[in-house]
Amino acid sequence: MKLINRWAYAGLAALAIVSTAGMLPAHSEDAPLVVMLLPENVTARWEGQDKPMFTEAMKRAYPGARVKVENALNDASKQQAQAEAALASGAKVLVVTAIDQKGAAVIVNDAKRQGVPVIAYDRLIHNAPVAYYVSVDGVKIGELQGQFIADHTKEGGRIAIINGSKLDDNAFLFRKGYMSVLQPLFDKKSRVLVADPWVPLWDPSKAQAQMEQILTATNNGVDAVLSPNDGMAGGIIAALDGQQLAGKVPVTGLDGTLNSLQLILQGKQSMTVWRSLKDESNKTAQIVAALLKGETPSADLFGGAKMNNEMVDVPWAQVTPHVITLDNMNLVIDDGAVTKEAVCKGMPRVGPCKQ
């Protein structure tokens, strides 16, 4: 009897396993493939926030999809090869943050020939039939950064501007925004521009080297630094630290990364411009889901906004930027971009870390 029961139990267990396996939402090879192509990993947001947030957003918007995320590590030819491999694997939608926003037109045209729509994520792709664009308004970001520098310097203040990558159209949009605020001040001599270099590929180490050269050339005569993103701000602050100037010289940023928030807690970075990457990922996922269903994405995602890329007016889902300082850092924490525990670990008990 015991032997019979043991075999009966084994049979029932096997049946349970088979039944359970049948109910699991395991992806089959027939599930539609969505491929996200990221540009690099020197900027913390791409791997730390955009990748997991988009993956999670897709689980909510279209649970049956297979999602693959590739990073080209700042190699435009590698990104093109990744796109070719994605199309060869049967990808139904490509979400692309282009390294070379002009060269990436090849990716869009290849995809178009195969009937695969391309969503330009965070960076517009030029002169190509891009289906949709999801991003913050880069000019507005620059305006916020420029106004912060204007508000936190005095008459005659010496300002260093360290621009981003010339390969990234966003760098020019940011510059258009902050120069719209600062150039009139330079023209009337109420502020002084002491340096205005560009940093290849947003490299923090190169931003640090640029800042070190500026400090040497000016004999530390810098009263504020406009950095267009957080990665570069970290390098700039390291250079300022070397001259005991960190915390004495206002430095801007963008992205609300963990490192930048901790630098703000330490009083070394003055602000960062943040837009909800969760919101950006959610909007992108909603567009992808509609495309996979053969539907037109909801007009509510775009509000009528479009961005011309020299070929077409691309429907533009916009994300709202916010200036983040010590006083409102909870916005980033509440959005889930970072945890309070991670931000406050080893930090001064100020701002959100008071309790």
Side-chain angles (χ1 to χ4, degrees), residues 13-248:
L15 181 61
I17 291 170
V18 171
S19 300
T20 304
M23 292 186 292
L24 289 175
H27 294 310
S28 72
E29 291 302 312
D30 296 330
L33 174 64
V34 177
V35 178
M36 179 183 228
L37 301 181
L38 295 179
E40 40 92 348
N41 65 350
V42 297
T43 305
R45 58 166 285 195
W46 301 117
E47 292 291 332
Q49 295 179 321
D50 295 89
K51 178 178 179 177
M53 286 182 175
F54 177 69
T55 302
E56 287 301 314
M58 280 302 304
K59 288 179 182 177
R60 294 188 296 270
Y62 200 101
R66 290 179 291 146
V67 178
K68 187 174 183 180
V69 182
E70 301 274 14
N71 194 311
L73 306 177
N74 260 331
D75 184 337
S77 60
K78 181 174 183 177
Q79 187 168 68
Q80 184 174 335
Q82 289 172 339
E84 291 169 357
L87 293 171
S89 297
K92 300 301 182 184
V93 181
L94 295 184
V95 178
V96 181
T97 306
I99 297 170
D100 181 343
Q101 290 169 266
K102 294 180 180 178
V106 173
I107 294 173
V108 182
N109 288 323
D110 285 349
K112 178 78 171 179
R113 281 191 287 271
Q114 298 188 40
V116 176
V118 173
I119 300 170
Y121 180 88
D122 212 70
R123 299 176 183 175
L124 189 63
I125 299 172
H126 293 280
N127 200 29
V130 174
Y132 298 97
Y133 175 45
V134 186
S135 183
V136 70
D137 184 341
V139 175
K140 180 62 177 177
I141 285 175
E143 290 172 355
L144 294 173
Q145 293 169 332
Q147 193 60 55
F148 188 92
I149 291 293
D151 292 343
H152 291 81
T153 50
K154 299 177 181 179
E155 189 78 15
R158 299 160 296 182
I159 298 170
I161 295 174
I162 302 184
N163 304 280
S165 171
K166 285 187 175 181
L167 284 178
D168 184 353
D169 191 49
N170 282 341
F172 291 92
L173 296 175
F174 300 156
R175 181 179 172 82
K176 181 178 179 181
Y178 51 69
M179 292 306 283
S180 72
V181 177
L182 296 176
Q183 190 63 57
L185 302 180
F186 298 146
D187 290 344
K188 65 182 183 181
K189 312 298 185 187
S190 67
R191 301 293 187 279
V192 178
L193 177 63
V194 298
D196 191 20
W198 294 76
V199 173
L201 300 175
W202 301 96
D203 190 323
S205 65
K206 289 183 171 60
Q208 179 175 345
Q210 291 278 19
M211 192 68 230
E212 289 169 349
Q213 292 170 19
I214 292 167
L215 292 171
T216 299
T218 62
N219 194 26
N220 290 348
V222 177
D223 298 308
V225 184
L226 196 146
S227 167
N229 84 346
D230 288 340
M232 286 173 42
I236 290 163
I237 290 166
L240 291 170
D241 237 342
Q243 299 298 319
Q244 290 77 52
L245 291 174
K248 299 176 183 178

Side-chain angles (χ1 to χ4, degrees), residues 181-316:
V181 177
L182 296 176
Q183 190 63 57
L185 302 180
F186 298 146
D187 290 344
K188 65 182 183 181
K189 312 298 185 187
S190 67
R191 301 293 187 279
V192 178
L193 177 63
V194 298
D196 191 20
W198 294 76
V199 173
L201 300 175
W202 301 96
D203 190 323
S205 65
K206 289 183 171 60
Q208 179 175 345
Q210 291 278 19
M211 192 68 230
E212 289 169 349
Q213 292 170 19
I214 292 167
L215 292 171
T216 299
T218 62
N219 194 26
N220 290 348
V222 177
D223 298 308
V225 184
L226 196 146
S227 167
N229 84 346
D230 288 340
M232 286 173 42
I236 290 163
I237 290 166
L240 291 170
D241 237 342
Q243 299 298 319
Q244 290 77 52
L245 291 174
K248 299 176 183 178
V249 175
V251 179
T252 61
L254 164 68
D255 287 334
T257 61
L258 174 61
N259 187 59
S260 74
L261 297 177
Q262 291 187 328
L263 286 170
I264 291 172
L265 289 171
Q266 295 171 63
K268 294 182 177 182
Q269 184 169 328
S270 308
M271 62 87 91
T272 183
V273 179
W274 169 81
R275 76 290 208 184
S276 171
L277 295 179
K278 179 185 287 185
D279 185 33
E280 191 165 349
S281 296
N282 283 340
K283 287 180 176 177
T284 305
Q286 289 175 54
I287 295 170
V288 172
L291 293 172
L292 292 178
K293 295 172 186 174
E295 301 172 355
T296 301
S298 171
D300 293 341
L301 289 167
F302 309 100
K306 294 186 177 183
M307 177 66 79
N308 186 273
N309 75 343
E310 295 89 48
M311 177 180 282
V312 292
D313 290 324
V314 186
W316 180 14

